[in-house]
Amino acid sequence: MARRRNRAGVFESAPGGGAAITLDEVEISILRSLAVQLLELVGPGDAAGADDDPLAQLFAEGPSKPPDDPALARLFPDAYEDSEDASEFRRFTENDLRARKREDALSMIRVLDSGGPRLTLTPEDSRHWLGALNDLRLTLGTRLEVSDDEGSELFHLPDSDPRKPLVMAYLWLGGLQETLVETLMG
C-alpha cells in the first residue's frame, strides 16, 4: 500500500534516510517555543571552557548532586541506587548529557527556522529531533505529574482546566515522536 504524500503533522520518509513533515505556522511556533524553553531549563553550558584544552574538557567535573527541579531530575536521573556511586557517575557524565540535550534542541530550532511548512530532516537531524521530542515529553509529563495510573484522568480534562494546553502539547509531541520513529524504522 502506497503512503500518501505531504500529510500534515505526520513524519514521512525523505530522500537519504531522513524524514519530512508539514507543519503549519502555529505548530512551528509551538515547537520552537518548547525547544527554547528546554534550552533554558537545561542551561547554557560552560561557555568559559570553550577555549580550554580538549583533554581538560574531557575530564571536567560536573555536579555531584541531583537537580532540585523535578523536570531536570527526570532528564538527569541517578544512574545508581547507591548515592555515592550515583554522585560519582553524575560528576563525570552530566555535563555531556546536558550538551547533548542542548544540541538536540538547537538542531530542532535550526530546522524549524529553515522555513516551512515542509521541513526536511537529515538522518542526523532526525536523531536530534527524537532526543528533543523525548526530552520535551519527559519535561511536560513531569510538570503534569503524568504516571501510568493518573494519565487517563489528565486526558479527560475540561477545556477550562489550565493544564489542558499542556496535556494537548504532551499528546501532540507523543504523536510526532511516534510517527518519526515509525518513519525511521520503516
Side-chain angles (χ1 to χ4, degrees), residues 41-62:
L41 179 66
V42 170
D46 183 14
D51 295 329
D52 289 349
D53 176 21
L55 188 59
Q57 287 179 10
L58 182 64
F59 293 102
E61 292 185 15

Side-chain angles (χ1 to χ4, degrees), residues 59-120:
F59 293 102
E61 292 185 15
S64 60
K65 295 180 183 175
D68 291 330
D69 182 313
L72 282 174
R74 182 70 174 109
L75 292 175
F76 304 105
D78 280 335
Y80 299 98
E81 287 184 26
D82 177 65
S83 62
E84 190 173 319
D85 291 340
S87 176
E88 279 297 299
F89 187 80
R90 180 177 299 282
R91 278 188 28 215
F92 295 107
T93 60
E94 188 169 316
N95 287 342
D96 287 340
L97 287 172
R98 283 181 184 266
R100 193 196 80 225
K101 290 177 185 307
R102 279 191 296 276
E103 183 54 35
D104 290 347
L106 285 169
S107 175
M108 178 179 274
I109 291 168
R110 282 191 292 271
V111 171
L112 292 168
D113 288 351
S114 69
R118 186 76 172 163
L119 304 171
T120 302

Side-chain angles (χ1 to χ4, degrees), residues 146-162:
V146 171
S147 71
D148 291 337
D149 301 329
E150 298 176 56
S152 60
E153 172 195 323
L154 285 173
F155 303 144
H156 302 289
L157 294 175
D159 290 343
S160 60
D161 191 303

Side-chain angles (χ1 to χ4, degrees), residues 114-127:
S114 69
R118 186 76 172 163
L119 304 171
T120 302
L121 285 64
T122 66
E124 183 178 351
D125 291 333
S126 298
R127 285 188 297 278

Side-chain angles (χ1 to χ4, degrees), residues 3 10-11 130 133 137 171-185:
R3 285 183 137 169
V10 176
F11 280 100
L130 282 174
L133 289 169
R137 279 185 41 88
L171 294 172
W172 177 59
L173 291 169
L176 290 176
Q177 186 177 28
E178 182 179 344
T179 64
L180 180 54
V181 167
E182 288 171 356
T183 297
L184 297 175
M185 301 271 310

